Amino acid sequence: MHIPDGFLSPSVCITGYALTGGVTWQCLRQIDRDRDIQANIPKASLLTAAFFVASLINIPIPPTSIHLIFNGLMGALLGYYAFPAILIGLFFQAVMFQHGGMSTLGVNAIILGTPAIAAYYLFQQRHLLRDKKPFLTTILSFASGAGALLLSATMFAILLVTNISPDMDINAERTAIFISLGGYGIQAVIEGVFTVMLISFLERVKPELLNS
Amino acid sequence: MNKLYFILSLLVLTTVPKQVLAHGANIEYRETSAINIQAKYDDGTPMANAQVVIYAPSDRTTPWLKGTTDQSGNFTFVPDTNAENIGNWDVKVRQSGHGDITSIPVSKEAENAAITQLSSDGSDYTSAQKAVMAAAGVWGFIGTALFFSRSKSSKLD
């Protein structure tokens, strides 16, 4: 779900960078208000490492192959730290593995990062109810893991469909993009289940990690 | 992202029947060089039925040829070697938001049949190299985590 160089027009890329700049600034302001930055940065850093290597694991789902993203998981666990963490992870993926591109770094950060923040807000809803907490946590962790990925996939598809190069066969490319959305649906389930597993594990082993 | 492997190879082409007379047949042939590209994803799976757009050096804005790759990600075309088309031919491959663009140099003397393996973005790392790079990156993040999680007492030392 990383848009490579050359797919988007310069104006879209610049807009992406501008939005990313704004969101990063906003997130850093929120982080600055955090009372326990020193405890949260190691957590963010470790999850950035996981995000960075997760993209190297390919799962072939025809017609394309997908790779795990875990942006919903990062949002649920990290809160506002997730956006800068994803931005840093994307930068390293683009530079080291040409996964994504430098010109599209801003756009990719918006595609993957803003759903992470949305997942954070969704996951925070588990504090609404006192009772039945384990069940609610399970539902919300699945929803944040799968929902963030679906949101990213939707943004990715909309951006691509509206930016198909006129030299291409637009209908064929549009069909290919819609078919790939099916693959992302499967990926959303995989990531949702993984998020549930990891969060229920953390809840039993180290519940303080979840109170961001 | 995808990586494309481009294999420039000499192919013997066409037996062109120029004219068919009553009973005689005349077969002419000429050798041309064709460019065969193979488009693959990062993990080595071929990009089947991906769209290919080719731009000649003389006009970089209008496509010179459009087509799709076959099931194994292959696409072959014969560049014309007119004087104005000597130079880098741009080949763009796209499939559902994946793809790449690369330049293939075409010279007048296209007889050098050497198989050139061009990686579109110069990132033709082996898996061992990738593993080391990933490990180095991960260690950087872990190091950052360890740095920020050092205890307050050790900070005073």
Side-chain angles (χ1 to χ4, degrees):
Chain A
M1 217 181 289
H2 300 49
I3 301 181
D5 285 327
F7 268 69
L8 301 175
S9 63
S11 58
V12 177
C13 294
I14 292 166
T15 313
Y17 266 109
L19 286 173
T20 297
V23 176
T24 311
W25 180 70
Q26 190 61 34
C27 285
L28 291 178
R29 263 173 45 126
Q30 296 286 346
I31 289 170
D32 199 35
R33 280 186 214 146
D34 188 354
R35 256 174 285 154
D36 208 1
I37 296 178
Q38 204 170 15
N40 281 325
I41 285 183
K43 196 166 87 178
S45 187
L46 288 178
L47 277 161
T48 310
F51 173 81
F52 169 68
V53 289
S55 85
L56 294 177
I57 303 163
N58 285 297
I59 302 170
I61 293 178
T64 62
S65 65
I66 58 166
H67 46 82
L68 299 170
I69 306 259
F70 295 138
N71 57 343
L73 176 68
M74 291 183 77
L77 289 180
L78 296 179
Y80 286 105
Y81 291 84
F83 193 85
I86 286 174
L87 182 63
I88 293 167
L90 283 173
F91 172 77
F92 279 98
Q93 287 172 354
V95 172
M96 291 174 95
F97 303 114
Q98 279 75 41
H99 204 142
M102 284 314 288
S103 68
T104 51
L105 180 65
V107 176
N108 285 333
I110 292 293
I111 290 178
L112 298 180
T114 44
I117 307 282
Y120 167 65
Y121 276 99
L122 185 65
F123 192 62
Q124 289 305 100
Q125 302 308 312
R126 76 189 193 283
H127 296 305
L128 283 182
L129 289 175
R130 281 270 161 85
D131 313 326
K132 289 183 183 176
K133 238 182 153 184
F135 181 67
L136 186 70
T137 305
T138 307
I139 297 280
L140 285 176
S141 41
F142 182 83
S144 47
L149 195 103
L150 284 181
L151 192 56
S152 293
T154 312
M155 290 164 79
F156 174 75
I158 290 173
L159 258 175
L160 283 178
V161 167
T162 49
N163 283 285
I164 298 174
S165 151
D167 296 345
M168 295 284 160
D169 180 352
I170 288 176
N171 286 325
E173 186 63 11
R174 199 176 285 164
T175 317
I177 291 167
F178 287 140
I179 291 172
S180 71
L181 278 182
Y184 292 129
I186 300 169
Q187 182 178 4
V189 175
I190 296 171
E191 297 208 0
V193 170
F194 188 86
T195 309
V196 170
M197 280 159 53
L198 190 76
I199 284 176
S200 66
F201 174 76
L202 288 178
E203 210 159 43
R204 265 176 283 140
V205 180
K206 224 171 179 337
E208 65 269 22
L209 280 182
L210 296 176
N211 299 323
S212 56
Chain B
M1 201 201 72
N2 314 305
K3 203 190 288 176
L4 305 175
Y5 293 96
F6 286 88
I7 299 161
L8 183 67
S9 61
L10 185 79
L11 296 185
V12 179
L13 269 200
T14 57
T15 49
V16 187
K18 194 148 191 187
Q19 41 182 292
V20 181
L21 299 172
H23 297 287
N26 184 14
I27 298 174
E28 285 183 355
Y29 74 95
R30 64 194 171 95
E31 278 185 354
T32 58
S33 56
I35 290 173
N36 177 30
I37 65 166
Q38 191 181 27
K40 283 180 179 172
Y41 286 108
D42 256 358
D43 58 354
T45 46
M47 292 175 74
N49 305 318
Q51 294 199 51
V52 183
V53 182
I54 293 160
Y55 301 88
S58 53
D59 185 359
R60 297 210 173 269
T61 48
T62 10
W64 182 80
L65 180 70
K66 293 186 198 180
T68 49
T69 57
D70 65 8
Q71 285 303 313
S72 33
N74 286 310
F75 185 77
T76 305
F77 69 100
V78 183
D80 72 39
T81 42
N82 293 341
E84 79 267 20
N85 279 335
I86 301 299
N88 288 328
W89 288 63
D90 288 336
V91 176
K92 201 153 87 172
V93 180
R94 287 280 189 279
Q95 189 174 50
S96 62
H98 297 87
D100 211 338
I101 187 162
T102 198
S103 290
I104 300 173
V106 171
S107 61
K108 186 93 185 155
E109 305 300 319
E111 281 124 41
N112 46 343
I115 292 177
T116 322
Q117 197 165 46
L118 284 175
S119 181
S120 50
D121 44 23
S123 67
D124 201 9
Y125 303 122
T126 64
S127 37
Q129 281 171 309
K130 273 192 169 182
V132 170
M133 285 161 73
V138 167
W139 177 243
F141 293 124
I142 293 175
T144 311
L146 292 175
F147 176 76
F148 279 98
S149 61
R150 71 202 191 281
S151 63
K152 292 209 166 73
S153 59
S154 66
K155 212 161 61 172
L156 293 175
D157 292 343

